Structure formats: structure tokens, C-alpha cells
Amino acid sequence: MTRTELELSRANVRCEPVGTPGMFNQNPYPHQIVMKPGLFLHLSENNNNWRVVYTDGRAHKPKEELEPLFNGDQTARWEGDILVIDTSSLDERTMIQGNGWFHSDQVHVIERVRRRSKNYLEYQYTVEDPKVLTRPWTSAWKTFSLGNEPLIENFCTNNENA
């Protein structure tokens, strides 16, 4: 794949959601996280991406009810002060990273989110995909500075003439 083809295949250029784990690792825009008992809500200014993850202990949907989605089928649990988000059934149009890292229909992503302090949020993810990887791969921890700026509307335009 040429550099031009790679750039044109990115979700942000195609006006598609970046998906999971793209909400964190392919998004240069501000985030907003809202948490309440049983719920993690992740909003992004990037093309108004959002996801809702239940943290109330529910299981994944039964296999016969799953359909590939940009953010997949997500559940979450707490391990001490770390929120662990478990994702399966990801749409194959999403990339694991913005460098063209594709995945199969069997990908499984585990994200870890923790608030290190009042000013910092840390994020890490692990990818398991028996059709693409020989073993699970885990990213380094990424640190985000926390701010208070409001999200603004940011709509993607169709770049079909690019």
C-alpha cells in the first residue's frame, strides 16, 4: 500500500468512525469522559465519535446476536483503579493503529484506562487476533493531559475529491 493509499484509507479521511481502539490512539481531538455507576461514556470532538460502555458486570451478547460494529460489542469491569474494557465483534474496516494495521473478524481488544492523578489519564490496549498475530500485542501506556475545554461540533466532510 502506498503512502497515498494509506492516507486515503484512514477513517478520518473516509468520514467513518475511528472505532476501538481508535477513539484513543487515532484521535488528535479533545475527549470527554463521563462516568456514573454502571456506565462509561466516551465522547470525542473528532467527527462527533462516541461510545457507551456498561460497567455493570453484564456479559458480551450471545454469538448469534453479534454484528460487526465500529466500536464492537463492549463490556467493562474494574480491576482496582483500572477500568478494563473488553471488545469483540469489531467491524473489519477499522484499523488497530493509523498505520494501516488491519485486523480479522476474530480480533479481541482489551483496553485499560486509569486516572493517574487529577491532571492525567493513562491508556493501554492489548490486541489478540489469531488470524493476524502469532501472539497478543500490548501497547505502551499513553498519557493524556486532562483539561476542561468544552467539545465543539466537528463534522467530517466527504473527501471524495481527494
Side-chain angles (χ1 to χ4, degrees), residues 44-50 152-155:
S44 169
E45 191 174 286
N46 177 17
N47 201 25
N48 299 311
N49 280 295
W50 57 273
I152 61 171
E153 289 185 0
N154 179 333
F155 292 98

Side-chain angles (χ1 to χ4, degrees), residues 4-143:
T4 300
E5 289 170 329
L6 174 60
E7 289 300 320
L8 293 175
S9 71
R10 293 177 193 264
N12 290 326
V13 174
R14 293 188 326 259
C15 298
E16 294 180 348
V18 290
T20 299
M23 286 280 290
F24 275 111
N25 75 4
Q26 298 174 50
N27 176 20
Y29 295 90
H31 301 255
Q32 190 172 77
I33 292 173
V34 178
M35 296 194 69
K36 54 189 271 187
L39 188 68
F40 170 86
L41 179 61
H42 186 183
L43 309 168
S44 169
E45 191 174 286
N46 177 17
N47 201 25
N48 299 311
N49 280 295
W50 57 273
R51 65 179 172 158
V52 175
V53 182
Y54 294 98
T55 61
D56 58 5
R58 66 182 68 186
H60 283 288
K61 291 178 184 173
K63 191 168 191 139
E64 62 275 3
E65 292 180 23
L66 290 175
E67 62 179 304
L69 300 168
F70 286 99
N71 285 317
D73 182 56
Q74 301 185 309
T75 64
R77 68 186 183 282
W78 287 97
E79 290 180 0
D81 65 346
I82 298 175
L83 179 64
V84 179
I85 303 171
D86 186 296
T87 304
S88 62
S89 192
L90 280 170
D91 190 300
E92 289 184 72
R93 291 175 288 181
T94 61
M95 290 183 197
I96 297 300
Q97 294 181 347
N99 61 4
W101 179 356
F102 65 93
H103 61 82
S104 77
D105 61 340
Q106 292 184 19
V107 71
H108 178 226
V109 177
I110 305 223
E111 300 169 279
R112 290 177 173 76
V113 182
R114 70 178 169 207
R115 182 126 183 217
R116 190 176 78 192
S117 69
K118 180 180 176 183
N119 298 320
Y120 297 101
L121 186 76
E122 292 181 327
Y123 174 77
Q124 180 186 60
Y125 63 101
T126 298
V127 179
E128 301 168 348
D129 191 338
K131 289 184 175 179
V132 176
L133 301 171
T134 58
R135 65 181 185 271
W137 180 89
T138 300
S139 73
W141 281 95
K142 183 176 183 176
T143 301

